[in-house]
Amino acid sequence: MSKTIGVLTSGGDAPGMNACIRAIVLSAARFGYQVIGFEHGYNGLLNNEKIRLSNLHVQHIIQLGGTILKSARCEAFLKPDGVKNAVANLNSNEIDALIVIGGDGSLRGLQKLSEIWSGQVIGIPGTIDNDLNGSDNTIGYQTAIDTALDSIDKIRDTADAFERIFLVEVMGRHAGFIALASAVASGAEQALFPETIEDPHAELESIVQHVECLRKIHGKTSIIMVITEHLWPGGVSDLAETLTHQIGIECRPCILGHIQRGGAPVAYDRILATKLGAYAVECIADQATAIMVGEHNNQPSRIKLVDAFGIQKSLDPYLVKIQQDLFDVVHSMQ
């Protein structure tokens, strides 16, 4: 039976979203389905900004960052009338299934839609934060790590030249996946992320002691600390000023910001996006709904949509242990 699939990208963009759109369009063609793309996220669904996607639209986009459908945040969709308007547009366009590529907030919106719309809904985890349960990696996460790592390596060069302390803030929303991975990969002296810090101010003494310990062992040298955004009240600039005052050594803040969302997706994200886009279409053919597709142990997987954002995803416990062990080793050398 022929179907019409709607697709949109929502929330923060993630490298690999275009690769995912491509896979959806090509896989849909294999099943004889049509694909309508809604532009500018849920805003496009509410305003009926649509484009019928063909194979020509997705030719040569697998290597592009961003999203050809554009993205946006949509406050109107959070209201009951917004969801009802979305349902009306889906029905008027004779959409049988809707695929949303996005993060936590995007999938929460999709769940609300599924509660009043009879069509199939499939979520695909497209976020650099890697904070959605049900998939070992989210689309864009591995590229974001590489981008952060490249920046931290460059910061290390100038930190070494001036024997200075740098506090590098990375993205992650309220999860420490990027901070932990980029800190371990770059050999950063410390990583601060929300999963292990309940009260940031209570950690201040420990941070100061760690810096003083490093200076006692290695002398005047560079120190890199990687910190998840929103972790420190007042931001990383406030922490840098506080440490400069406490330690008496200049600390420089460096906020990587949106650079982590841009750029060509690495091979891993292109492959993951292709897998998940194709699998989402297969799930539609299988009559599945209210699920998020992901990958677990290199195999395509499905999880209830509510569990994708309703259950907190844990950091790699062994990687956390390694980071803590390295921290402890420094203190044991005094």
Side-chain angles (χ1 to χ4, degrees), residues 246-257:
Q246 291 258 358
I247 303 169
I249 303 168
E250 186 178 21
C251 299
R252 287 291 183 93
C254 187
I255 302 172
L256 299 189

Side-chain angles (χ1 to χ4, degrees), residues 35-88:
V35 179
I36 291 178
F38 290 97
E39 299 179 301
H40 306 108
Y42 285 112
N43 290 300
L45 182 55
L46 296 184
N47 299 323
N48 210 24
E49 299 175 61
K50 61 186 179 182
I51 179 172
R52 191 172 296 275
L53 294 172
S54 69
N55 294 359
L56 289 176
H57 288 102
V58 298
Q59 189 177 23
H60 305 151
I61 69 168
I62 194 170
Q63 77 279 11
L64 301 179
T67 161
I68 61 167
L69 291 177
K70 310 304 179 185
S71 189
R73 306 197 186 278
C74 183
E75 295 295 329
F77 192 76
L78 300 176
K79 302 173 183 177
D81 286 347
V83 179
K84 290 177 182 177
N85 187 15
V87 169

Side-chain angles (χ1 to χ4, degrees), residues 72-321:
R73 306 197 186 278
C74 183
E75 295 295 329
F77 192 76
L78 300 176
K79 302 173 183 177
D81 286 347
V83 179
K84 290 177 182 177
N85 187 15
V87 169
N89 283 337
L90 288 167
N91 291 336
S92 68
N93 286 295
E94 299 182 333
I95 304 292
D96 299 292
L98 178 66
I99 297 174
V100 171
I101 309 166
D104 176 276
S106 302
L107 299 197
R108 287 178 188 272
L110 187 59
Q111 173 62 29
K112 286 186 177 296
L113 180 65
S114 73
E115 294 168 3
I116 65 169
W117 184 53
S118 59
Q120 294 170 263
V121 296
I122 309 288
I124 298 181
T127 168
I128 68 169
D129 300 332
N130 199 38
D131 59 348
L132 287 170
N133 184 46
S135 188
D136 294 338
N137 287 273
T138 57
I139 295 169
Y141 170 58
Q142 291 292 337
T143 304
I145 293 173
D146 274 9
T147 300
L149 182 60
D150 180 65
S151 297
I152 294 169
D153 287 346
K154 289 178 169 65
I155 291 168
R156 174 70 78 179
D157 289 342
T158 193
D160 277 344
F162 286 91
E163 298 173 319
R164 193 174 274 164
I165 300 171
F166 272 85
L167 311 182
V168 183
E169 182 185 278
V170 297
M171 284 183 161
R173 209 170 67 90
H174 302 296
F177 290 94
I178 296 176
L180 175 61
S182 60
V184 171
S186 66
E189 280 70 27
Q190 193 162 13
L192 304 174
F193 40 87
E195 288 84 350
T196 58
I197 295 179
E198 294 183 8
D199 181 0
H201 285 300
E203 293 292 320
L204 183 59
E205 185 178 349
S206 174
I207 296 170
V208 171
Q209 287 178 351
H210 187 56
V211 172
E212 291 175 342
C213 182
L214 287 166
R215 288 280 176 156
K216 188 179 295 184
I217 295 167
H218 302 294
K220 194 176 181 184
T221 185
S222 68
I223 295 172
I224 300 286
M225 297 185 196
V226 182
I227 304 169
T228 301
E229 63 181 342
H230 309 308
L231 178 64
W232 198 267
V236 70
S237 297
D238 181 71
L239 176 57
E241 187 177 332
T242 300
L243 288 178
T244 298
H245 176 73
Q246 291 258 358
I247 303 169
I249 303 168
E250 186 178 21
C251 299
R252 287 291 183 93
C254 187
I255 302 172
L256 299 189
H258 289 77
I259 189 174
Q260 295 158 91
R261 287 192 193 161
V266 296
Y268 185 97
D269 279 323
R270 299 184 197 194
I271 294 167
L272 176 64
T274 301
K275 281 184 177 180
L276 298 190
Y279 188 55
V281 176
E282 291 177 11
C283 288
I284 288 171
D286 198 29
Q287 303 302 317
T289 189
I291 62 168
M292 184 195 82
V293 298
E295 185 180 56
H296 181 59
N297 293 332
N298 293 319
Q299 296 297 318
S301 61
R302 308 179 187 186
I303 187 173
K304 289 181 180 179
L305 201 52
V306 291
D307 290 339
F309 55 79
I311 299 175
Q312 184 175 2
K313 183 176 181 179
S314 299
L315 297 175
D316 180 340
Y318 189 64
L319 204 57
V320 174
K321 177 183 178 297

